[in-house]
Amino acid sequence: MNEQEFLAAYDPRAYPAVAVTVDVVALTVRSDALHLLLVRRGVPPFEGHWALPGGFVRPDEDLATGARRELAEETGLGGERLRRVHLEQLASYGDPGRDPRMRIVSVAYLAFAPDLPDPAAGSDADDAIWLPVTALSSRQLAFDHDRIIDDGLERARSKLEYTPLATRFLDTEFTISELRAVYETVWGHPLHPGNFHRKVLSVPGFVDSTGASTERGGTRGGPRAKLYRAGDARLLHPALLRPAREETVR
């Protein structure tokens, strides 16, 4: 039997049905706090529970396209603003009992960007919110989304150590203080301003000076702060370790 004959005789119904969904761990910084996008399910299963934005992958789209579509539906993002969102595949979740409907494998994505807009609930949700990650314990989550969120937060925190992705939480031009605020918010730890400034500028390609400064000094006066933009580095060397990990390295 050649390949054409094999495919003509192939019956997918001979195997158990498996569906594929995408779920998005979308993070942004609002009011100096790390926020996560959640939707409240308006239909069973887990009706009334909070969940990550996501859904079934359509037959004509790949996984990343499905994740971007789901994110766009919940945030109203489109065009250039959607393209600015950093999106990366996080992990796959395939426990046989994770969804009561049928065997469903979810491919989770991590997304983050600056100043994401207020969400709008999609077709199968009756509410959508940006929730501070510190308030997650107050929400009853659907499926295995608590595990996915934990994995997403750890990925985001670790990637800030060895990649320049913290700059994706900021506008195209930013100060070192604003960059430090991202690290403090995502890591949940205060950082020494002088040490952080020195470390950032010592990493080749992390940030580039724009040659410009802020229009005015800080809230307590003083000189205007220099403005920077993201450099061309893809990995940070040396890495910026979280305070707890820095202690273990020592």
Side-chain angles (χ1 to χ4, degrees), residues 188-249:
H189 293 283
L191 301 173
H192 187 279
N195 288 344
F196 181 83
H197 193 283
R198 174 181 52 79
K199 289 178 181 179
V200 168
L201 296 187
S202 69
V203 178
F206 188 2
V207 297
D208 293 331
S209 174
T210 65
S213 301
T214 56
E215 292 184 358
R216 60 186 65 181
T219 55
R220 298 182 180 180
R224 296 182 298 172
K226 294 181 180 179
L227 289 171
Y228 295 84
R229 64 172 65 93
D232 58 4
R234 295 190 176 183
L235 294 174
L236 303 184
H237 184 74
L240 276 70
L241 300 180
R242 281 171 275 184
R245 277 173 41 81
E246 205 168 37
E247 290 297 325
T248 62
V249 170

Side-chain angles (χ1 to χ4, degrees), residues 111-171:
F112 46 90
D115 193 29
L116 290 174
D118 290 333
S123 58
D124 60 351
D126 60 14
D127 197 6
I129 59 169
W130 285 108
L131 182 74
V133 297
T134 54
L136 273 170
S137 60
S138 67
R139 305 289 165 157
Q140 195 171 20
L141 300 177
F143 308 106
D144 52 359
H145 288 187
D146 53 349
R147 177 188 172 193
I148 298 175
I149 291 169
D150 286 344
D151 291 347
L153 290 173
E154 177 56 30
R155 170 75 68 84
R157 288 164 179 154
S158 65
K159 291 207 77 165
L160 262 61
E161 292 185 302
Y162 62 90
T163 77
L165 290 180
T167 59
R168 293 297 190 100
F169 282 100
L170 298 167
D171 291 330

Side-chain angles (χ1 to χ4, degrees), residues 8-210:
Y10 182 78
D11 183 5
R13 293 171 298 179
Y15 300 92
V18 177
V20 178
T21 60
V22 288
D23 290 303
V24 183
V25 181
L27 302 172
T28 195
V29 175
R30 292 181 145 219
S31 303
D32 300 322
L34 185 63
H35 283 65
L36 170 75
L37 179 61
L38 290 178
V39 298
R40 186 163 57 197
R41 291 183 58 79
V43 297
F46 296 104
E47 183 176 4
H49 286 58
W50 291 90
L52 295 168
F56 290 96
V57 179
R58 294 174 179 172
D60 62 343
E61 63 186 8
D62 60 26
L63 295 170
T65 300
R68 287 191 179 276
R69 172 180 53 77
E70 290 290 345
L71 183 60
E73 288 176 359
E74 304 296 350
T75 62
L77 282 177
E80 183 59 32
R81 291 193 70 188
L82 182 59
R83 284 189 289 272
R84 284 189 60 200
V85 174
H86 173 81
L87 186 74
E88 66 177 68
Q89 195 172 120
L90 174 62
S92 299
Y93 300 83
D95 186 284
R98 64 178 301 275
D99 193 308
R101 291 170 291 189
M102 61 179 295
R103 181 70 189 275
I104 296 179
V105 175
S106 180
V107 180
Y109 279 79
L110 177 65
F112 46 90
D115 193 29
L116 290 174
D118 290 333
S123 58
D124 60 351
D126 60 14
D127 197 6
I129 59 169
W130 285 108
L131 182 74
V133 297
T134 54
L136 273 170
S137 60
S138 67
R139 305 289 165 157
Q140 195 171 20
L141 300 177
F143 308 106
D144 52 359
H145 288 187
D146 53 349
R147 177 188 172 193
I148 298 175
I149 291 169
D150 286 344
D151 291 347
L153 290 173
E154 177 56 30
R155 170 75 68 84
R157 288 164 179 154
S158 65
K159 291 207 77 165
L160 262 61
E161 292 185 302
Y162 62 90
T163 77
L165 290 180
T167 59
R168 293 297 190 100
F169 282 100
L170 298 167
D171 291 330
T172 53
E173 295 186 355
F174 50 84
T175 66
I176 299 296
S177 294
E178 290 170 337
L179 181 62
R180 187 182 78 252
V182 170
Y183 275 87
E184 292 178 331
T185 299
V186 176
W187 285 351
H189 293 283
L191 301 173
H192 187 279
N195 288 344
F196 181 83
H197 193 283
R198 174 181 52 79
K199 289 178 181 179
V200 168
L201 296 187
S202 69
V203 178
F206 188 2
V207 297
D208 293 331
S209 174
T210 65

